[in-house]
Amino acid sequence: MMTVTRRETFSASHRLYNPAFSDAQNEAVFDKCNNPNGHGHNYELEVTVEGPVHPDTGYVVDLKQLKEVIRREVIAKVDHKHLNHDVEFLRGVIPTAENIALAIWKVLAERIPSGQLVSVRLRETENNVVEVRGGK
Amino acid sequence: MMTVTRRETFSASHRLYNPAFSDAQNEAVFDKCNNPNGHGHNYELEVTVEGPVHPDTGYVVDLKQLKEVIRREVIAKVDHKHLNHDVEFLRGVIPTAENIALAIWKVLAERIPSGQLVSVRLRETENNVVEVRGGK
Amino acid sequence: MMTVTRRETFSASHRLYNPAFSDAQNEAVFDKCNNPNGHGHNYELEVTVEGPVHPDTGYVVDLKQLKEVIRREVIAKVDHKHLNHDVEFLRGVIPTAENIALAIWKVLAERIPSGQLVSVRLRETENNVVEVRGGK
Amino acid sequence: MMTVTRRETFSASHRLYNPAFSDAQNEAVFDKCNNPNGHGHNYELEVTVEGPVHPDTGYVVDLKQLKEVIRREVIAKVDHKHLNHDVEFLRGVIPTAENIALAIWKVLAERIPSGQLVSVRLRETENNVVEVRGGK
Amino acid sequence: MMTVTRRETFSASHRLYNPAFSDAQNEAVFDKCNNPNGHGHNYELEVTVEGPVHPDTGYVVDLKQLKEVIRREVIAKVDHKHLNHDVEFLRGVIPTAENIALAIWKVLAERIPSGQLVSVRLRETENNVVEVRGGK
Amino acid sequence: MMTVTRRETFSASHRLYNPAFSDAQNEAVFDKCNNPNGHGHNYELEVTVEGPVHPDTGYVVDLKQLKEVIRREVIAKVDHKHLNHDVEFLRGVIPTAENIALAIWKVLAERIPSGQLVSVRLRETENNVVEVRGGK
């Protein structure tokens, strides 16, 4: 089993709150992440694909193509953006790290040029990271 | 499958030796880790839990609660301590990275606020890391 | 000459624009940092003080006190905040890394418990960092 | 389940091209990695072994022995070398990260002193990493 | 005093030898860096400029312009190259980290868009780094 | 002006206390660093030397020699040791990061093979670092 992982970064802001919650509930659940004016992070995204090594190229996947797909479909849409307001694929979603990673998984799953998407890992701070894993 | 990982750090000292071994055996097995006065490390602990994303919060687990559990049950007991002498949950154990990680797993397995503990990863130096994995 | 450096981190959002500029000028100068809804970063702050080593303690400065000053006077006011709207000591300032570092310098210069403030270093992304240096 | 991981580093150069390809194909597939004079990287190698913790030592594997095996069988042969020309175990292979990792797996699989090899991870740049996983 | 630092990376190969030396001298002085087929590194370049903060922009220098200058004048010429053979501005120079940094300083000193170049820092491995400093 | 920096690491334990202080004073000043059984760290040491680049070698200093001096004179004496008990050059010193760095400076200042020692930087944790600077 061989996997290849590509790291990309983006900087974005967000605010965590659920419009169905009362202010007190939002405060209790989301705490300082509920600050009305929002806050932000440097996100670190790691996308992992799995597959056989092609004998003619020694590649599981052309990393140049994988990089371009990630940059065009994800980074260009979230970098220097407000994740609650500016991102089509996050519309209606509370932009927790979990939900952002899930949404990125959905965006990438059909567009990965070769190999099979097996993991989307999103580091929000040096202490917090989430990972969506899939595959067969 | 979604996982959430929280990183915490602590600084501690230890000495590796087995009281059932002769001095020569301890020297042969544990080498410079057997220095009678001990030595120490900045440990990096990563705790991973798995579970579904709650639709009302976008969280697998409230990271604030997870952080508090790790800090209260583990970090407060090992940070700035001697792992052979000062830590109740390491009593009678040779404090190798493997045994420390196993002991932390046991401490946390019943106290994780939600989700299911799937990994305890302990980095002892920039070159050495151990991981306990569990789950179904 | 001896210096001691303390690192702290915070996560915040900001938008770069000059109200005296036209939209086109703001766009030209600040580019994607001018996104109306803002964006954000994990900032890494390093505060350096200089002084003689006290013979009774072996310390230039009590790092516990230095940490508390930085956390109370800076981190508590900028972490999980919007730097254009939520921070008194940044009122009226375009929150570039340069201006944030200068403002933090001013906040800390009079409150450092011992030693002399010689540097405030602010890393905005893994590729961009600014530093204010002072001293005699 | 317990794993232990050892990190080692090496610096090497390589050129990606397939002698069965035309120049235009090599250019199209390998792009700037096809530069005739080659280029190079600081590689970061992580070798993971799995096994039970030995009750007398608290070790899955003696890391000193694991380190020596990795250094003697791999690092000594690739560090400060040209991977296309100087390395016996890469003879006839296009030295992509994938193929280097596979070759290192084969070298190590029979020589690991105890435990079972479960992963060889090779980071080629801060943005690109491959991993071979095996086991039962 | 305010400085702004931009980090960029490149991957290149080189061989250290002095054509005026005998083989034995080259071996004695350059050791494994003298391998005839060369070896390589992921270089990390940090360029620091100094200057006043412009009151209208909050910038010492437009980092977008600084980045473009570094990428066009340096990175495009050294990334995925052999530093002994492929780089005009290193012609006739033994490509030690010191000499590469000096050559990059000369390339950048006249082209920095604003502010004054004060440091070129080049990290060759995680353990070795050189720095050229200048200024008034 | 050209500098060259070499990084080395060591793991050690220590206890901060002043025998001339009462227990209450030691507690007040050194807090959790005063734990009677001690604690420890992975220390990161950066040694910087300055000098002209030798035209025949492109080196300020032969890093192989610098590395050997640091390893023989410092690392071999502090790695896997207790800094209060096991280290001759720290005898009678409260082993704060400041005092360790000063002692390392004194050890190295006369033994640096070429160039002039200008900085000894000691990182005790990811958040705390001290630096001794000298020179003309």
Side-chain angles (χ1 to χ4, degrees), chain D residues 45-113:
Chain D
L45 173 68
E46 290 183 319
V47 175
T48 301
V49 299
E50 182 185 82
V53 179
H54 196 288
D56 289 348
T57 61
Y59 285 162
V60 167
V61 57
D62 183 336
L63 263 177
K64 206 167 14 121
Q65 287 179 39
L66 179 58
K67 178 179 74 173
E68 278 160 22
V69 169
I70 301 172
R71 290 192 176 176
R72 187 182 61 237
E73 303 293 339
V74 179
I75 303 301
K77 293 173 179 171
V78 293
D79 189 32
H80 284 74
K81 302 293 185 194
H82 193 302
L83 303 178
N84 298 64
H85 303 307
D86 298 331
V87 185
E88 194 56 46
F89 70 70
L90 290 170
R91 197 71 64 198
V93 159
I94 306 173
T96 57
E98 288 93 328
N99 279 338
I100 304 168
L102 276 173
I104 291 174
W105 174 282
K106 283 176 203 155
V107 167
L108 290 177
E110 301 155 29
R111 291 176 179 85
I112 293 295

Side-chain angles (χ1 to χ4, degrees), chain B residues 126-127, chain D residues 7-11 42 71 79-80, chain E residues 32 41-42 44 97 121-130, chain F residues 4-10 43-48 63-64 66-67 70-71:
Chain B
E126 64 188 11
N127 296 324
Chain D
R7 187 185 81 108
E8 295 286 337
T9 60
F10 61 95
S11 296
N42 299 326
R71 290 192 176 176
D79 189 32
H80 284 74
Chain E
K32 57 185 185 172
H41 300 287
N42 299 326
E44 204 175 309
R121 198 171 158 86
L122 187 68
R123 183 172 294 275
E124 199 173 66
T125 71
E126 66 189 10
N127 295 325
N128 300 342
V129 56
V130 302
Chain F
V4 176
T5 298
R6 175 73 191 176
R7 188 184 81 107
E8 294 285 337
T9 61
F10 62 95
Y43 290 90
E44 204 175 310
L45 173 67
E46 290 182 319
V47 175
T48 301
L63 264 177
K64 208 170 10 125
L66 179 58
K67 178 178 75 174
I70 301 172
R71 290 192 176 176

